[in-house]
Amino acid sequence: MDELRVVVVDDHAMFRSGVRAELERVGAGRVRVVAEAEDVPSAVRVIADHRPDVVLLDVHMPGGGGPEVIAQAPGATYLALSVSDAAEDVIGVIRAGARGYVTKNIAADELVDGIERVAAGDAVFSPRLAGFVLDAFAGTIAVAHVDEDLDRLTEREREVMRLIARGYAYKEVAKELFISIKTVETHVSNVLRKLQLSSRHELTRWASDRRLI
């Protein structure tokens, strides 16, 4: 197989650099990162300029998420790469046209394999995420936003909310999302206020009831 040309789209520069380094280390001769982008406009531009074989695409970014990139650059092959494993994120980006969805804790060799598989026309999912897609197309779970409460949260607040609800410490959330602990604290405060909850325990129960964790 010829070396596959890849574009990495993510709003965190440190994460993009890490992906590039891991793909160079593990996937030398198989995949090569030809460009990076940090938001929807830059993603659309570099995809048009470089015409990659596969685009690694984050779901949530400032100014619009992965589905918006796909809508504006529909000819590319997309593999979603996100910290979120929430059903509505998985279903939304797959419906938009992505060939697969993997989470950011994926091993480098598995990511290289996933890139090759979507380039060959296969669908690729992290464990348990495929079930969301099957359930959605079977009509057993809703594709729309869960409720008006969830719509009140920003994309970043949703990411923080899911991690906190899973039991992550503030320090762990900060490391996972490449933000400061103070920023995490601010997001948690905003989430609790908007959802009219008083504790992390209530937040976990709220998210669990809505199948968000």
Side-chain angles (χ1 to χ4, degrees), residues 6 8 12-29 31-36 56 81 107-109 111-112 115:
V6 176
V8 180
H12 297 110
M14 288 179 61
F15 179 76
R16 296 196 308 270
S17 297
V19 170
R20 178 189 287 269
E22 285 298 286
L23 292 182
E24 289 176 352
R25 180 180 67 84
V26 176
V31 299
R32 176 168 58 91
V33 176
V34 296
E36 301 174 12
L56 293 179
L81 177 62
D109 58 340
L111 181 57
V112 171
I115 291 169

Side-chain angles (χ1 to χ4, degrees), residues 24 32 47 65 81-82 91 103 118 164 182 193 197 201:
E24 289 176 352
R32 176 168 58 91
I47 290 168
L81 177 62
S82 176
I91 297 163
T103 52
V118 296
I164 290 295
K182 182 65 176 178
R193 174 178 54 80
L197 302 173
H201 176 71

Side-chain angles (χ1 to χ4, degrees), residues 5-212:
R5 303 167 69 254
V6 176
V7 163
V8 180
V9 180
D10 193 284
D11 59 324
H12 297 110
M14 288 179 61
F15 179 76
R16 296 196 308 270
S17 297
V19 170
R20 178 189 287 269
E22 285 298 286
L23 292 182
E24 289 176 352
R25 180 180 67 84
V26 176
R30 297 166 62 190
V31 299
R32 176 168 58 91
V33 176
V34 296
E36 301 174 12
E38 64 182 0
D39 53 23
V40 174
S42 62
V44 173
R45 184 172 60 254
V46 300
I47 290 168
D49 290 344
H50 294 273
R51 299 190 178 279
D53 298 295
V54 176
V55 179
L56 293 179
L57 182 65
D58 193 13
V59 174
H60 299 301
M61 294 179 292
E68 183 65 23
V69 174
I70 297 173
Q72 294 190 34
T77 297
Y78 293 93
L79 175 58
L81 177 62
S82 176
V83 67
S84 171
D85 61 2
E88 71 271 18
D89 288 334
V90 178
I91 297 163
V93 76
I94 295 301
R95 282 193 178 274
R99 291 294 306 170
Y101 194 117
V102 295
T103 52
K104 289 182 176 179
N105 60 0
I106 188 172
D109 58 340
E110 293 176 345
L111 181 57
V112 171
D113 180 66
I115 291 169
E116 292 179 336
R117 288 173 58 193
V118 296
D122 292 339
V124 175
F125 295 93
S126 289
R128 97 182 183 90
L129 300 189
F132 293 153
V133 178
L134 294 174
D135 287 346
F137 284 93
T140 55
I141 63 175
V143 178
H145 290 297
V146 174
D147 55 28
E148 292 182 0
D149 287 338
L150 187 61
D151 287 344
R152 295 191 185 103
L153 305 182
T154 66
E155 291 179 347
R156 177 62 82 195
E157 287 169 351
R158 292 186 192 190
E159 290 179 329
V160 171
M161 176 269 293
R162 292 187 184 103
L163 294 176
I164 290 295
R166 291 174 190 152
Y168 280 54
Y170 286 2
K171 182 178 180 180
E172 293 171 324
V173 175
K175 182 179 179 181
E176 185 79 15
L177 299 180
F178 299 96
I179 57 179
S180 70
I181 295 176
K182 182 65 176 178
T183 300
V184 174
E185 293 173 347
T186 299
H187 285 315
V188 171
S189 177
N190 290 339
V191 168
L192 293 177
R193 174 178 54 80
K194 290 180 180 181
L195 299 181
Q196 298 182 345
L197 302 173
S198 60
S199 68
R200 291 180 57 165
H201 176 71
E202 289 187 0
L203 178 60
T204 299
R205 186 172 58 213
W206 183 91
S208 179
D209 288 344
R210 288 157 178 79
R211 298 183 64 180
L212 297 176

